[in-house]
Amino acid sequence: MPAATASGANATPNGNAKSRDHNQGNQDKKYTVEQKAAVIRVRRCSATAFYEILGLEKSCSDAEVKKAYRKLSLLTHPDKNGYEGADEAFKLVSRAFQVLSDAEKKQKYDRYGGDPDNRFNPSSAPSASPFSGFARSPGGGRGPMFEDEISPEELFNRFFGGGGMGGGPFGGFDTGPQFVFNLGGGPGFRVHQFGGGRPRRRPQEANGNSERAPQSALSVLSNLLPLLILFVLPLLSSIFSSSAPSGPSIRFDTPEPPYTMHRTTPSLRVDYFLNPAEVEDYSNRNFRDLDRKAEHSYVTNLQYDCQLEMRTRNRMMDDAQAPSVKMTDAPSEADKIRNKRLAKLGSQVPSTATPNGDERSEGVSTAQSPQTSSLPVPDHKEPTTPKINISSSTSSSRASENPFARLVVKPSPGDTGNNVAPSTGMDRLTEKELAPEQRRPSSTAGENLHEWEDKVLRGIFRITLNPSTNADGHGHHLYNVPSVRADLEDQGQPIRLNTSTLDQAILEVASASGNIVPLKYLLRCWKRVIGQWKHFKSHKAEESKLDILKEAKRLCMSYCIFAITMPEMFGREQTDTSPLIPHLLVDPEDDEGICHDFLTEAVSRFAEDDTIEPALVKAVEGLSRELAKKTMNDDYKSYVLALRHLVRYPPLVKAIAQSSIFVPLSISAADLEATTLLGPFFAISPLQADITTQYFSSPKTRDRAFITNSQQALRMTLTTHQQDLLDIVNHIIKSDKSARDRMLDWFATCVNKNHKRRALQVDKKLVSSDGFMINMAVCLDQLCEPFMDATFSKVDRIDVEYLRRQPRIDIKDETKLNMDQHAAEKFYEEPVEGTSNFISEVFFLTLAAHHYGTEATNQTMSQLEKDLKRMEKHIEEIELDRHKWINNPAQLNMFDTAVKKYKDQIDKGISYKYAVQGVLLDEQMQARSIQFVRYVAVWLLRLVSRTQFPKQPLRLPLDSDPSNFFGALPEYFLEAVVGAYRFVMRNMPWTISSTQSDELIILCITFLRNSEKIKNPYLKSGLVTILFAGIWPGPNRPKGVLGDLLMGLPIATEHLLHALMKFYIEVENTGAHTQFYDKFNIRFEIFQIIKCIWDNRIYRENLDRESKANVDFFVRFVNLLLNDVTFVLDESLTAFQQIHNLSQELQNPQHIEQTARQEKEEALSAAKGKAKSYMQLTNETVAMLKLFTEALADAFTMPEIVQRLADMLDYNVDALVGPKSSELKVENPQEYDFQPKALLSEILDVYLNLRNKESFILAVARDGRSYKPANFQKATAIFQVRAKGLKSPQELQAWTELGKKFQKAKEADDQAEEDLGEVPEEFLDPLVYTLMTDPVILPTSKTTIDRSTIRSHLLSDPNDPFNRSPLRIEDVIPDTALKAQIEAFKAEKRGASLARANLMDTTPG
């Protein structure tokens, strides 16, 4: 049997088996007799017979231990030794060395025996533990020979950020008994350790408090919120979310340009209007979705308006009642307050006016009166209380400083104050005693303006001057202000409130001791005063009333600001946290919430009061710090809504963006989520710690429906949150240029700090979480939507020079598409002048976010699924040893506990996998992602082709680009496109429409046809994978998403086949250590694409035309295809022979000793696995050979190809129908997809495709090893009797005639060889020893060889076979003299043969 000649093997055209030995060393591990003996000897040893394992005496020295280990480790290492069980033997050797090379362990072992690290019984006999051979090193660390081992915690920490204290979503293990399980196999192995660090705390305990505060009923309810999340949270989220939905704008009232397209919703018959330009590419499905969104928006807005109107009406009814309540708390020391206020504010006091309008020169009354109160009075004498006014004035004269002057609102012309003046006779007059011209106009009959003022102010501020009254008619508590009453009595004023006394009254109430919280009280007053202000203003009330309310509003806001910035004014201690935070977390419409009017008023005072801005920024920073301790299980929504509310005020946004924690100067990736201002808001995700296990508890027991419903609920919650994040970011970007720049800086910091997320092994403790990065990528995707239209009208706004203009994104260390690091650094050293536009900024940031966000998460998921499968398989193997501890309850309990912890870790991994799938399989999210990468694809094609694509068509192959700007781009620019499409094609292909696929196909064909533009072969293979996934059949799509387009797109019919064949050749050498196996996976996908398009006649015609114009290219392709067919056929048939023979031997296991039987069973299992993996590839490869021999018969019958093809076909026909065909019989051949008759039929088709080629017929006849006429007859009989349906009578007739041609050619060739007789040695080819027909001289070795032989050699090896110097076929020198001698020799021999024939011919002429 000839060895398989795989791609790259030294193949020669004759039938010599030695010349076709496959010498690829990495496709199948081999072993020597010595290696086999070493493995068998070591495995027979006890797991703790360490001296016996290393072959040493107990008295051995350290040097002898090391020497023995070096020798045995080389003999048993799985990379070097392919014998079954080598990995286990290598582990035993390594463990023996680990113990005997450690003096302390060696001493314990010599004294007690057994494994010194055995946690079950340290002094027990060997094999006391099923894991004794794989115990951990002291201290829970790794031994010196195991630096690369990975424990279960570390393995999971790679995905979930664990650690000693249990970071990440998976937490950690409790301290306790530790088990170490081998997860190994293959080169190297992994050790998984149970036990170790303390469990992680919940985020709420991270503040260091050892005791948990008792939970309120509200907290208990919030903790139960996840249980209701399937039903309640999505509804609440949609109600509270008011961000604009993605998609076209909708108008509900009347049509107005450009909203002229009318639609009516099917359910509620709601009319709405659209901009036709925004929906020109919408499908019926899109319009149905839009109808549902319109109805939802309409109903939501209607409900909100109704609720708002009801709240306003109720509040107005309450405020219309006059309150009068007795005060119960005593005021604080007023003179201390006054001193603090004066020291802080230090401004002029305006002149005051009498109630009738007369202005006074004194701004502050010096009248003193005893403080009378219904509250308990301290024993010491209360100091007198100076009267302080916070009022407006039209006079410029100032008698003294007024600490509140900077809070004064400038009055309009003619406005008069209402200040308390020194007591005079006029002041003591009542309203009735005033002259008519001195009275204020009354508002209603029986009520003058002073009475109305008193009633309204008492109602707003819930103040009473009557000590016997403590509640109003509605039961509202009233605050008594005895000091104000005393002052009024002392001055002889009417006992009622006005704007002049309101200042003192507010201060007295807010400063009272007891349970009153100044800010809470003042905010309630603010809601009432703003309600009254709006009511009277909307009803066009008298200016005098509006002036009163305006002053009350101003005073209320002023004291609110003092309560926030200077709480000591009211006798309260200053705290580290902002007092605003609790009020920001409630509904703005709540009595204690921060409403729009409050923020508008506060922001308007930024210029005149420099304490307001930092106070609000401090509150936002406090919100961020508190949210950093929460997860999606907690009440996070109120924090997000608070920030959404605050960012609606541009001056405030500008201040927030300048916060020191908005973009810290120096910060690590792991701290971005907790310590930046926006980090905690973007960190909220269902992928946070402990959230995944609540969505997917006991994941192994859940059915598909439960998982799907949980994922849908998860997506709804996350989508609402992401819309809130977008709304926040949009307001920041639109508010101010400086704020927009800071927002972009924050995004850039997030991506630049997370480069390690794309490392081969990611330490989750050093990077940001998946949920955080996905939220950021989704937000950036939506920021790109406004400029990503269907016609790519704004793609030219994306400026590639951005990357040379001090870009925000860091691409210095990124691998470039087609430029080395040195050249790239030199390229980007030359800065470009100018300013980058916003579109370019967002575009490149979004690209980076895809790479380090969603694509990194996809990569993590792929690795997680592999590790979970490996761990599940390993735990099954471990549980088989449970019976060993059945009689030892203590150790059995330890065993079960450790296994349970291991299973819990697996469950956490599965839950996390389901959660990530739920996040990533969001149709809207992926639709936006595809929309973005489609734009990226168009931009890349425009850049590499230097055309205005898609307005101008591409012409392939592309011209060279002197600037090579494309080559200087980071690889991830193209990876983002490949990764996004590959994910969607594999998981949710129905989301891609045909209109979105043209650019994708053009991108794939362009870079496969011009593969020199990209260095990385695996990046190019991703393009093949996209096409392969695109033709995979689906519901209502027998050719997949892309199949129909590939059949009709002009650029595809012209260039796709050539592009695929070109990459088929290139992938022979990828440069990776796995290239031998990688090429078969890639070529399998290429075969599937070719099969999909082969029915199109245009493809075949273009292929035939090109094969005649580019012979060398097609010969290289044919050679590699032939190598692959030879290899996979040989591997498959050999595996079936092994299965057959081993199965026969194991039919009588009682005659085989235990060790030998185990070895044979393991060999049988390996052979079955090999047969399964290779048989599918064999079927596809032979099918390709059949297709291409039909279309490219000339290429397959070239001199350098045809003999190898004939030899391969003859050999496999002999294997399938010859004497040894019975060895291919196995049980359940369908298990391996092995159909020998169908395979034989395909091979016969190859013969028939080439039946008209004389060179092929002669090559078959010259195969002296495998060509047997009897095999052709047996094949005919098989198809006539046992496989009638596989071959038609016409095909069998052609097959029979072809067999006759082979026999005739064989006879003629034998006669010709006999006629030549003894051939001079100088005429023979030095490699294949056949008579040369076209001798050439090799330029360096000066050896003469036949041209066909050296061409065949160069197809697999580009070197001179005699001195290994580089060689090209163009460099060989024709040996015309020798060729003439050979021709003369042949002519002479033919002449002699003809003469002999004439002599023998005695027939009369």
Side-chain angles (χ1 to χ4, degrees), residues 1117-1187:
F1117 170 76
V1118 167
N1119 174 68
L1120 293 175
L1121 178 60
L1122 185 56
N1123 286 348
D1124 289 348
V1125 174
T1126 303
F1127 174 75
V1128 296
L1129 269 171
D1130 184 63
E1131 290 292 313
S1132 300
L1133 298 183
T1134 301
F1136 288 120
Q1137 290 174 350
Q1138 292 173 348
I1139 294 172
H1140 174 82
N1141 295 333
L1142 289 170
S1143 299
Q1144 291 290 331
E1145 294 176 16
L1146 290 172
Q1147 285 183 352
N1148 298 311
Q1150 63 273 15
H1151 300 300
I1152 308 174
E1153 64 174 0
Q1154 177 69 21
T1155 304
R1157 185 175 73 252
Q1158 183 177 354
E1159 291 176 357
K1160 291 181 181 297
E1161 288 174 348
E1162 292 174 353
L1164 177 61
S1165 177
K1168 288 181 177 180
K1170 182 179 178 181
K1172 287 180 181 178
S1173 60
Y1174 276 114
M1175 197 60 226
Q1176 184 181 17
L1177 190 59
T1178 297
N1179 292 333
E1180 297 298 332
T1181 310
V1182 172
M1184 281 301 101
L1185 181 65
K1186 172 186 172 181
L1187 292 179

Side-chain angles (χ1 to χ4, degrees), residues 80-228:
K80 306 293 183 181
N81 189 339
Y83 186 72
E84 295 294 330
D87 55 347
E88 182 181 351
F90 176 71
K91 297 165 193 172
L92 294 173
V93 170
S94 300
R95 181 57 185 159
F97 174 72
Q98 187 182 23
V99 172
L100 298 183
S101 63
D102 186 303
E104 182 180 354
K105 293 182 180 180
K106 184 174 183 292
Q107 183 180 2
K108 290 182 180 179
Y109 176 69
D110 291 340
R111 183 175 181 182
Y112 300 107
D115 193 323
D117 286 335
N118 187 343
R119 295 184 62 88
F120 287 88
N121 187 357
S123 61
S124 64
S127 299
S129 166
F131 318 114
S132 57
F134 309 103
R136 65 179 179 87
S137 57
R142 302 182 181 87
M145 296 303 297
F146 294 87
E147 286 85 0
D148 292 332
E149 297 169 11
I150 302 174
S151 70
E153 297 108 317
E154 292 165 336
L155 175 62
F156 270 87
N157 290 342
R158 287 172 53 195
F159 304 101
F160 316 114
M165 293 301 293
F170 289 14
F173 288 132
D174 297 331
T175 55
Q178 300 197 7
F179 293 81
V180 182
F181 294 154
N182 172 26
L183 278 183
F189 57 95
R190 300 184 176 185
V191 172
H192 284 251
Q193 174 179 310
F194 292 148
R198 298 175 63 83
R200 78 174 272 158
R201 294 181 176 184
R202 291 181 62 83
Q204 294 88 335
E205 299 170 351
N207 57 7
N209 296 332
S210 59
E211 296 183 5
R212 185 187 297 269
Q215 290 186 326
S216 64
L218 183 59
S219 299
V220 173
L221 182 60
S222 67
N223 289 336
L224 294 175
L225 188 60
L227 301 178
L228 307 176

Side-chain angles (χ1 to χ4, degrees), residues 985 989 1024-1033 1039-1044 1046:
M985 289 289 190
V1024 174
T1025 301
I1026 291 176
L1027 295 175
F1028 167 67
I1031 60 149
W1032 200 255
K1039 289 184 176 291
V1041 178
L1042 303 179
D1044 293 333
L1046 291 176

Side-chain angles (χ1 to χ4, degrees), residues 479-756:
Y479 299 96
N480 190 17
V481 284
S483 296
V484 175
R485 180 183 178 90
D487 288 346
L488 290 173
E489 290 175 345
D490 185 62
Q491 297 172 11
Q493 295 284 342
I495 307 303
R496 56 182 174 227
L497 281 177
N498 56 41
T499 54
S500 300
T501 57
L502 182 60
D503 174 13
Q504 183 181 349
I506 294 173
L507 181 60
E508 185 174 349
V509 173
S511 302
S513 60
N515 296 326
I516 190 170
V517 179
L519 183 58
K520 182 184 296 186
Y521 162 74
L522 290 166
L523 285 174
R524 288 176 175 269
C525 296
W526 172 261
K527 290 296 178 64
R528 290 190 287 270
V529 71
I530 203 68
Q532 292 282 20
W533 165 261
K534 290 180 177 179
H535 170 72
F536 282 99
K537 190 171 184 179
S538 64
H539 288 75
K540 299 180 180 180
E542 304 168 16
E543 284 295 326
S544 55
K545 291 185 178 181
L546 291 179
D547 289 342
I548 293 170
L549 291 172
K550 181 179 180 181
E551 181 67 8
K553 181 163 66 81
R554 185 187 64 81
L555 286 171
C556 187
M557 172 56 68
S558 298
Y559 275 104
C560 284
I561 294 170
F562 283 123
I564 297 167
T565 61
M566 199 167 59
E568 60 268 24
M569 172 182 288
F570 308 101
R572 306 301 192 269
E573 295 293 332
Q574 186 74 261
T575 60
D576 293 334
T577 59
S578 171
L580 271 175
I581 292 177
H583 303 284
L584 289 169
L585 295 178
V586 300
D587 191 331
E589 297 302 319
D590 187 270
D591 286 344
E592 297 175 9
I594 304 297
C595 64
H596 166 73
D597 299 288
F598 181 93
L599 289 171
T600 301
E601 180 72 15
V603 167
S604 70
R605 298 191 182 197
F606 276 8
E608 59 189 66
D609 189 344
D610 58 5
T611 64
I612 303 175
E613 179 181 309
L616 291 173
V617 172
K618 180 182 177 182
V620 177
E621 293 174 347
L623 287 172
S624 176
R625 292 189 183 98
E626 289 189 10
L627 183 59
K629 304 172 185 177
K630 299 182 180 295
T631 68
M632 193 167 268
N633 272 348
D634 305 310
D635 179 25
Y636 73 93
K637 189 70 176 178
S638 57
Y639 292 84
V640 179
L641 293 177
L643 185 59
R644 278 190 62 189
H645 187 200
L646 293 170
V647 296
R648 280 162 168 73
Y649 305 90
L652 179 56
V653 173
K654 183 178 180 180
I656 293 172
Q658 299 306 316
S659 166
S660 60
I661 67 170
F662 195 89
V663 186
L665 295 177
S666 179
I667 190 172
S668 66
D671 292 333
L672 284 168
E673 299 177 55
T675 58
T676 64
L677 193 143
L678 292 178
F681 295 90
F682 278 80
I684 294 295
S685 167
L687 304 184
Q688 283 179 298
D690 300 330
I691 307 298
T692 59
T693 53
Q694 295 200 21
Y695 271 105
F696 306 99
S697 58
S698 303
K700 290 184 179 178
T701 64
R702 302 297 186 180
D703 58 18
R704 190 67 243 176
F706 176 89
I707 294 170
T708 301
N709 289 336
S710 297
Q711 289 176 334
Q712 185 176 5
L714 176 153
R715 280 194 292 271
M716 292 174 66
T717 304
L718 181 60
T719 299
T720 301
H721 178 61
Q722 289 170 345
Q723 287 294 328
D724 290 338
L725 294 177
L726 175 65
D727 187 63
I728 291 169
V729 171
N730 259 327
H731 278 90
I732 294 175
I733 287 175
K734 294 176 180 179
S735 64
D736 176 79
K737 183 181 185 303
S738 62
R740 180 182 68 198
D741 290 341
R742 294 280 283 175
M743 187 73 251
L744 296 177
D745 288 341
W746 183 80
F747 280 129
T749 300
C750 292
V751 295
N752 291 336
K753 294 292 184 181
N754 277 288
H755 284 200
K756 290 183 179 179

